């Protein structure tokens, strides 16, 4: 099973809302990632978790807060977002940081 | 960080035609992947190819790590091949860098 799942598929939220994106994998991978992708651009790395510890935070604003409750789950908590945060948010996992990454289908986020 | 440039940026093909997509990277890499992003945004793994040549059906890929490039070949293209093709590399320090992408449109 090489599947990474993400929920929800679509999310519309106001600038004062708090919401969370969820990602799950059951491949036994120990590295998990959040990416942000704007239209017609490549994905940009936001966060990397390795063995459930945050190892990379690519200078992401604090209104994005990642959480890794266990080795299979990755959350991204959203609060006080701006309209420019509207994008496709992709989760990925890999066996280790150097290994092949597998991506989920993404959550398409719109901030009004 | 590593610069990853893909060419061409856009490509329009007639169904049945062949094409070659190129990925150049600016430094040594530990691995390289090719992805196809479909119109719904899903990134589909095509190849994990740090070096050498691999084939999967109508697609094949070659990476020449010493010369810092990789090629993706698509033969007998189909409309379902349309989308954006990304290469991505892992550099020293295990950072993952995406290329600039090639947008492919296959017309019937």
């Amino acid at each position: 099973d090489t599947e990474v799942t993400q929920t929800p598929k679509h999310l519309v939220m106001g600038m004062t809302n708090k919401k969370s994106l969820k990602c799950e994998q059951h491949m036994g991978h120990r590295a998990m990632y959040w990416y942000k992708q704007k239209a017609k651009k490549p994905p940009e790395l936001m966060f990397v978790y390795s063995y459930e510890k945050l190892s990379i935070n690519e200078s992401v604003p604090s209104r994005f807060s990642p959480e890794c409750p266990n080795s299979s789950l990755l959350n991204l908590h959203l609060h006080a977002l701006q309209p420019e945060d509207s994008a496709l948010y992709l989760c990925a996992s890999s066996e280790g940081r150097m290994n092949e990454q597998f991506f989920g289908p993404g959550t398409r986020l719109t901030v009004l | 960080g590593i610069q990853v440039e893909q060419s061409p940026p856009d490509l329009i093909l007639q169904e049945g035609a062949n094409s070659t997509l190129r990925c150049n990277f600016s430094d040594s890499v530990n691995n390289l992947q090719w992805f196809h992003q479909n119109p719904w945004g899903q990134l589909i793994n095509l190849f994990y190819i740090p070096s050498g040549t691999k084939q999967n059906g109508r697609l094949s890929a070659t990476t020449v790590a010493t010369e810092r490039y990789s090629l993706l070949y698509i033969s007998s293209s189909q409309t379902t091949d349309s989308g954006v093709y990304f290469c991505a590399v892992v550099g020293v320090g295990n950072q993952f860098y995406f290329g600039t992408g090639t947008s492919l449109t296959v017309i019937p």
Side-chain angles (χ1 to χ4, degrees), chain B:
Chain B
I2 297 178
Q3 307 303 311
V4 186
E5 296 288 331
Q6 291 184 241
S7 59
D10 299 283
L11 185 59
I12 299 175
L13 295 176
Q14 198 77 38
E15 199 169 25
N18 303 329
S19 62
T20 301
L21 282 56
R22 187 175 181 102
C23 171
N24 291 333
F25 41 96
S26 61
D27 205 345
S28 300
V29 299
N30 292 323
N31 80 42
L32 186 144
Q33 289 184 244
W34 282 99
F35 297 93
H36 174 214
Q37 188 165 40
N38 66 23
W40 297 271
Q42 173 80 59
L43 278 163
I44 299 161
N45 289 39
L46 298 178
F47 294 101
Y48 172 71
I49 186 167
S51 63
T53 297
K54 291 187 178 180
Q55 178 148 11
N56 184 2
R58 296 182 296 103
L59 272 58
S60 64
T62 295
T63 297
V64 184
T66 52
E67 296 187 23
R68 300 181 184 167
Y69 73 89
S70 183
L71 302 173
L72 178 69
Y73 305 95
I74 305 174
S75 65
S76 304
S77 57
Q78 301 175 358
T79 55
T80 50
D81 295 331
S82 296
V84 183
Y85 289 80
F86 289 106
C87 66
V89 303
V90 174
V92 172
N94 295 336
Q95 289 283 74
F96 198 73
Y97 300 93
F98 271 88
T100 49
T102 292
S103 177
L104 173 65
T105 303
V106 180
I107 53 177

Side-chain angles (χ1 to χ4, degrees), chain A residues 34-38 41-47 58, chain B residues 98:
Chain A
W34 281 115
Y35 291 84
K36 173 183 177 180
Q37 186 178 22
K38 302 284 271 185
K41 297 286 188 184
E44 297 174 6
L45 183 66
M46 299 175 72
F47 301 105
E58 290 285 0
Chain B
F98 271 88

Side-chain angles (χ1 to χ4, degrees), chain A residues 28-85:
Chain A
H29 289 172
R30 304 316 300 261
M32 296 186 76
Y33 311 79
W34 281 115
Y35 291 84
K36 173 183 177 180
Q37 186 178 22
K38 302 284 271 185
K40 300 191 185 302
K41 297 286 188 184
E44 297 174 6
L45 183 66
M46 299 175 72
F47 301 105
V48 180
Y49 273 83
S50 183
Y51 289 87
E52 299 159 51
K53 293 193 186 315
L54 184 64
S55 60
I56 291 181
N57 174 344
E58 290 285 0
S59 303
V60 178
S62 60
R63 56 186 185 270
F64 295 91
S65 175
E67 179 196 19
C68 189
N70 61 54
S71 60
S72 300
L73 291 174
L74 189 64
N75 297 322
L76 186 62
H77 303 297
L78 314 173
H79 173 55
L81 294 193
Q82 304 297 309
E84 59 264 29
D85 296 321

